[in-house]
Structure formats: structure tokens, C-alpha cells
Amino acid sequence: MAKRVGISDVAARAGVSPTTVSHVVSGRRHVSEVTRARVRSVMDELGWEPNELARSLRMQRTQTIALIVPDITNPFYPSVARGLLDVVSEPGYQVLIGNTDGSPSAEKDLVARMVTRSVDAIVFAGYYSKASDVAPAVEAGIPVALMGGRKASAGIDVLTSDDLAAGEIATRYLIGRGYHRIGFITGPSGEGPPADRVKGYRRALTSAGLRFNSQLVVREEFSRAGGAAGLQELLELRKPPRAVLCTNDMVAIGALDVARARGLRVPDDLAVMGFDDIEAAALISPSLTTIAGDPREQGRAVGRVLLGRLDGTTASLPQRILFAPSVVPRESA
Amino acid sequence: MAKRVGISDVAARAGVSPTTVSHVVSGRRHVSEVTRARVRSVMDELGWEPNELARSLRMQRTQTIALIVPDITNPFYPSVARGLLDVVSEPGYQVLIGNTDGSPSAEKDLVARMVTRSVDAIVFAGYYSKASDVAPAVEAGIPVALMGGRKASAGIDVLTSDDLAAGEIATRYLIGRGYHRIGFITGPSGEGPPADRVKGYRRALTSAGLRFNSQLVVREEFSRAGGAAGLQELLELRKPPRAVLCTNDMVAIGALDVARARGLRVPDDLAVMGFDDIEAAALISPSLTTIAGDPREQGRAVGRVLLGRLDGTTASLPQRILFAPSVVPRESA
DNA sequence: CTGAAAGCGCTTACAG
DNA sequence: CTGAAAGCGCTTACAG
């Protein structure tokens, strides 16, 4: 390959200075009509386009946004990535992905590398993300948005699903359909999004004048087997629930397995409802009624917030945006 | 934020030249024990790390690989991305994603931008990708790997699923289970991977001494509705098939819908088999027997090929790597 | 064992 | 309306 052509080659051939070539590209100062035309034609002739790397070094901005996620293979994150791309591509940003596998050391590493690469902004996702993980970026003056982090963090924008609302909305939906005895198969730990969903469930029950019964909430693994075990347990109660909320769709599918095995008609004998709306929810039979967030829209929202930070448009107070989910009614409830 | 510290600050504080600091970082020339220690400690003290941008401009390599895909939301691509990251992260590469939505103009645009950003290599994916789409990159001397492209392209590495083998393997599996009258619901067009799968099917039939009957292959949309329509059509034949191959899992799920509606027992009355092994395949009931590729492994393989190109290790002949799929036996066949 | 200087390819104050 | 020169922050031939 021939020596790469640079701005000075264009300038020489057009009989002007690099300064002028730069200005016809940027439009940042007036260049006479004829000079502009001449420069343009030389650019075409030589096939020159400004080298982004040099421009980045000079301008101290790379037009790059880092997206750091635990596992790009989890369908939630590609959708977020898509939404982010939706809004940042137009103004010329590219996105660099980082996969942490949830490992704290990988997280620190990636943040550090993104800083040395001078990305213009970072979106850091993961349900257990903490502000301290991104401290080096913040110190370097790089705008950071946390997704899924649960605590408002000093000086950092946080965007997250409203899990409490999700639990509330799901529960109200079931109550509205005439179910009053509702069980909940939740995750093993008492914190994080699953716990918030249970809180929302409890709140909806209470505000409908129904009693919260702790026997009806069982803790299981986040898996199909967990869902199966959870439903077994609930069905052994003297007064088993008529409907069951499952902390995610996979758990709900496990519950559906035992309902089918026991010959229970869904939703007539037992209503089953999940959270997340994974692809399979629509494809199984009976199809699964569930609660859907909108990850792509979440990606768009972070993009907008960050773009605002980058052009100084977003207010200086850190934003905290909660995404309200909605129910996707299907056959199972 | 304070003025960013640079190599000359470190050098000054350590009483050496930037040259020496650079060398203690790179290890490319010997630096006396004591100097090295002093420089290191100043580096820590000042928290300095080399600016990748400046280094990239100087060294003419960005440690960046572009991954251009039609739709990052299609689960195949995140898996490829994961595999790519698996192998390129360790040697210090990052990956920049581009989403084309299959639009030819977006493809050209993205390739051009990746070139101006001086990425070190490009993986360009999409079932209809052509070599000409990436010509600007090739001209700029950037190694390119095509994924899913079907023709070997001058000077470009191509990695793709072996769809012909997939069709063959699926068909042999059904024959082995005693099915001799096998239908095929394929896509609307007569080319691309779906057509290759049909070819493989035909080849397997022939080599098993069975007759290929064109009435048994029907063309439908790539959707659940397409699968339903396809099976209807096949069942209306005077001698309907006892097993049906569906060009992808979604189509197979549509076929399963009509089997269930008609009260056919699967697989006793009718065996159904798909391709791709989407997440839902394992979750529906009956679970779907299908053909799985290994997208993550494909991502790893492109990573290896490209890394080889970058360090001059891969032979100069363009590689053509075909990925053989395997059957995932489940309940439906 | 170490340093001064050029240069990667741009943009932008400064000057006219 | 336009240009010469400095500088973004590194690495590396060249020299000693």
C-alpha cells in the first residue's frame, strides 16, 4: 500500500496551507468559495479523509463511548447497546464494549483501560455496580452513567429499572383478574432487584386491602429447577395460592413444568406470571404473561443523558432515572 | 481536574529523559536497575499511565478490532462478540461495535469510519456480506475477516457455518431414527444458507438411497407463521411426511403449533426439527431437537485468525474456515 | 546505559 | 480571507 496521504499532501496539491484544508473540513472559519471548491476536489481526487486518531489526540476527545457489561451474551445488554447506538451514532460516536463477567478485578481493569484510551464517556452496567468501581473515570473528568446500580451515587447519573414498581404492577394485574391468594417465588437473597419486586408485591397487596402472608413467598435459585421447587413448595401449603409470581421468566417456566406435570390447568387452576419477557415467554405453551422493561429504550436514555453531559446540556445535578415496566398479557395469567 | 500528567512530568520528577521512562514501560531496551525502580515509583506516585491515544498515533496501531454486524440484538452476534473478546482481550485489544441493520449504505459508512479510526482489524458479519463492502479497509492494509459470507473472496479470510453439512447431518439423524419420508420447510428464496441446508438434505437422502421429492420441500417466510403455513401445506399432501425439517427454530415452533392444534403427537406422529438452537428451543414443550452451531467458538476462531494476521503468524493465503454444526437431540425428533 | 530531537497527523491560537 | 508554527503525548532512530 502507498504511503497514506495526509492533510499536507492535500494542502500542497491544492496550493493552500493545511490550516485552510482543516477549515474547509470543519467549517469553523470562512474559506473563499473558489478555494473551498479546489480543496474539496483535491480531497476527492486523493481520497483523503482526516485521520481520526490525530484529530482525537489534538482535540482531546475520541468520539467513543465505552459500554461495560457483565455479559454481552445476556440478551438485556445487546438491547441496551442497540439503544445506545441508536442515539449516539448520529452525532458520530462509536461504542467500545467491555465484558467483565461480573469480576471486580476485570471491572477495575476495564475502567482503567477505557480511561487510558480517553473514551469520552462510559456506561457501566451490572446489577451490583458501585460508584467506587468507576472512580478513576470520574477523577479523569469522564462522564459516567451507571445502569442497574441501585444507590444514587455522588455525581454520577444512574438509570435503572423500577423493580418495586414492577412487583406492584404485576400484583395489581393479578388482583385485577380476580386472584387474591398470590404466591411469590423469589431469589435466594433478600436484596437487589428481586427483593424490590417482592416489596412492590407486598405494597400492592396491602393497598388492595389484602393480607401479606410470608408463607406465600418462597426463596429459590434463579433457574427452571428453582421455579419447579418453588411451586412444589407452595402447592404443599394447606391453602395453596391460586396465582404465582415468579422472579423471572426462567423460574416461571420451571413453575409451569410442575403445573403441567400435576395436570393443573393454567391459568384456570393456577395463574403463572414472570418478569423480564425473555424471547421464550411468547413461544412456550401456554405463553407466559410477564412484565417487560424496555432495554433498548433504556439504552437510548443513557445515550441521551451522556450526550447531554458531553455537550454541557444536561443539568449539572446527577440524574436518577427509573424505568417503569409494563405487563405483557398472554395466556398464563 | 488537575492538568493531566504526562510522560515528561514523570521523567522530570525521576530525573531522567522521557526516552528512559518510555523504555521502562516498554522494556524494549535495558534500563539500569536503580533507574527503573525510581521511574516506577514516580509512576505510582503520580498515577501516570501512558496515554493510549498518543501511543496509537505514534505506533500506527490502535489495539482495536471492529466488529460490524447487521443486528447486535440477534443472539448470534453477541455470542460471536463474546468469543472474539475471549481471545483478543488478553493481548490487549478492544472491540468497537457497528450495527448496520443490513443497510448497504450503513455498511459502507461504518467500514469507512473504522478505516479513518485506524482500527487494526475488522470482522465483518452478515449473511449477505460481500468482499466489495470492505474494499476500502483492504486497500488501507487492514486485515478483514468475513463471517457468514458465502464466497471465498480475494485476499480475505472467510469464516462461516457449514450449512450444507448442517442439512446433511440433520437429515441423517432423522433417517437414523427411522424416518424415511421427510419434508423440508425452507425460506422464500432459493439461495443462501437456507438453500445450502436443502442441498445437504437432498444429498443425505440420495446417499441413503432415498428419493428426493420436490413436493416435500415448501417455501415459506422465516417466521412462526411461515412454519405453520408450511406444515399445513405438507399435511395436505396425499402422502404427508412423517418428519419435517424446518429452516430455523422459529419456523419449527410454528410447525409445532399446528401439530398441537391438529392433535398430532410429536414425535410419534410427526417429528419436527429446527436449526440454530435458539434459547426457546429447550424451553418449549415438547422441547425442540435442533442443529446447533457454536457462535462463540466462531468468534474465537475469527479472533485467532485476525491475531495471526496482525502478528504475521497466519500464512499469507486467505483462510476459509467452515464450522461444522451438531445435532442437539431433544424431545421433538 | 542514556538523551535530544524528530515525527505520528491533525487543530487552533496568533498574526497579518 | 489565509498561513506559519506550536502542540496534543507518546516512541524510536540516531548518537554518544
Side-chain angles (χ1 to χ4, degrees), chain B residues 43-55:
Chain B
M43 282 174 54
D44 287 351
E45 183 188 341
L46 266 42
W48 175 78
E49 297 192 53
N51 178 319
E52 271 300 328
L53 215 51
R55 174 182 260 170

Side-chain angles (χ1 to χ4, degrees), chain A residues 252-276:
Chain A
I253 288 172
L256 250 13
D257 286 338
V258 341
R260 186 185 311 109
R262 297 210 177 190
L264 294 172
R265 287 166 310 160
V266 172
D268 298 341
D269 298 330
L270 180 76
V272 174
M273 195 163 168
F275 288 88
D276 295 348

Side-chain angles (χ1 to χ4, degrees), chain B residues 257-274:
Chain B
D257 286 339
V258 342
R260 185 186 312 111
R262 297 211 178 191
L264 293 173
R265 287 166 312 161
V266 173
D268 298 339
D269 298 330
L270 180 75
V272 174
M273 194 163 169

Side-chain angles (χ1 to χ4, degrees), chain B residues 50-116:
Chain B
N51 178 319
E52 271 300 328
L53 215 51
R55 174 182 260 170
S56 291
L57 179 60
R58 177 57 228 244
M59 301 184 77
Q60 305 281 52
R61 55 131 202 63
T62 52
Q63 302 280 93
T64 306
I65 295 177
L67 172 63
I68 300 179
V69 301
D71 180 11
I72 188 64
T73 260
N74 172 337
F76 180 79
Y77 298 111
S79 293
V80 168
R82 194 65 159 77
L84 183 63
L85 285 167
D86 286 344
V87 314
V88 306
S89 294
E90 211 278 311
Y93 289 86
Q94 310 268 56
V95 357
L96 212 46
I97 59 174
N99 199 92
T100 68
D101 278 317
S103 139
S105 71
E107 290 179 354
K108 307 247 183 271
D109 250 54
L110 272 167
V111 170
R113 293 180 65 174
M114 295 304 182
V115 173
T116 66

Side-chain angles (χ1 to χ4, degrees), chain A residues 70-88:
Chain A
D71 180 12
I72 188 66
T73 259
N74 171 337
F76 180 79
Y77 298 112
S79 292
V80 169
R82 193 65 160 74
L84 183 63
L85 285 166
D86 286 344
V87 313
V88 305

